[in-house]
Amino acid sequence: MNTKIKDSHEEASIIRFLALYNSLNTNDLSFLRLGDPNKKEPDGICSNDVAIELVGAYDNSYQARKIWGVARGKDSRPKPELRLLTFENLTQEIATKLEKLNNGNYDGFTGKIVLLCNLHSPLLTDSDVDTFMNKYIPFKIDHYFDRFFEEIWITWKSENSGNWKIRKLE
């Protein structure tokens, strides 16, 4: 992946999230720098000893390849998939990130780590998010993993206003 595009995307996602997060909380977190994967740091290092690890959830692998192909200036023309699996993919991505956390992938950072899940579905509605939130079962309940993120948040673009929204999952 083109590092510059990835870094720009991560920084913009974290800054956008922090603006919304700070407006909902008494915290005043600010983005300091991108994390260093060679030092086993999460994607973004913030003030107040907080870091953010990012994950994107797409409708399907076709959508992910198409979006990142366009971002990189490549038109790979992947075969379209018609199934929309945004929330199933989200749950799988959270489990994958929890596994990485438990395997020590982010041990280079000793503060609190927040997982930020960007939902990239253009068909996603605020009502879909509400339905998912009502059915969501937190990973912490089953105690399968030894370590968990301090918080898990989702972001999506509202179909009503076109603005980004955030909700806390765990």
Side-chain angles (χ1 to χ4, degrees):
M1 176 180 285
N2 183 323
T3 305
K4 186 174 180 177
I5 291 171
K6 180 182 178 290
D7 289 351
S8 295
H9 168 74
E10 289 178 352
E11 184 174 342
S13 294
I14 293 169
I15 290 170
R16 180 182 63 236
F17 169 73
L18 289 176
L20 295 168
Y21 181 84
N22 287 336
S23 71
L24 294 176
N25 298 286
T26 57
N27 300 333
D28 189 24
L29 297 178
S30 58
F31 175 79
L32 299 177
R33 63 178 176 83
L34 290 171
D36 184 343
N38 296 320
K39 294 180 181 177
K40 293 189 171 187
E41 292 179 335
D43 292 322
I45 308 301
C46 302
S47 59
N48 300 345
D49 206 24
V50 172
I52 295 177
E53 178 64 16
L54 286 168
V55 65
Y58 300 88
D59 289 332
N60 50 53
S61 59
Y62 164 78
Q63 182 196 25
R65 286 190 312 270
K66 183 76 172 163
I67 288 172
W68 283 104
V70 169
R72 292 185 205 114
K74 298 178 183 176
D75 188 11
S76 62
R77 305 224 185 246
K79 182 180 177 185
E81 293 177 45
L82 300 178
R83 294 189 64 205
L84 304 180
L85 303 169
T86 306
F87 293 113
E88 292 86 345
N89 291 339
L90 170 63
T91 303
Q92 181 57 50
E93 291 295 339
I94 292 171
T96 299
K97 289 293 185 173
L98 282 166
E99 190 172 311
K100 288 180 177 183
L101 175 71
N102 281 269
N103 287 337
N105 287 34
Y106 314 118
D107 284 356
F109 183 80
T110 58
K112 298 176 183 177
I113 303 175
V114 173
L115 180 63
L116 174 56
C117 310
N118 291 324
L119 305 178
H120 295 289
S121 175
L123 304 175
L124 191 68
T125 66
D126 295 346
S127 176
D128 293 335
V129 172
D130 290 339
T131 300
F132 174 74
M133 294 293 294
N134 290 331
K135 293 179 182 179
Y136 180 75
I137 300 170
F139 280 87
K140 291 179 183 177
I141 288 177
D142 67 9
H143 303 289
Y144 179 80
F145 294 102
D146 294 325
R147 297 169 60 194
F148 296 92
F149 291 98
E150 185 72 22
E151 298 175 351
I152 299 176
W153 289 78
I154 60 172
T155 66
W156 74 99
K157 208 168 198 177
S158 172
E159 86 281 6
N160 293 321
S161 66
N163 294 326
W164 284 89
K165 290 187 168 188
I166 63 172
R167 294 270 300 265
K168 185 177 179 181
L169 277 180
E170 298 188 36

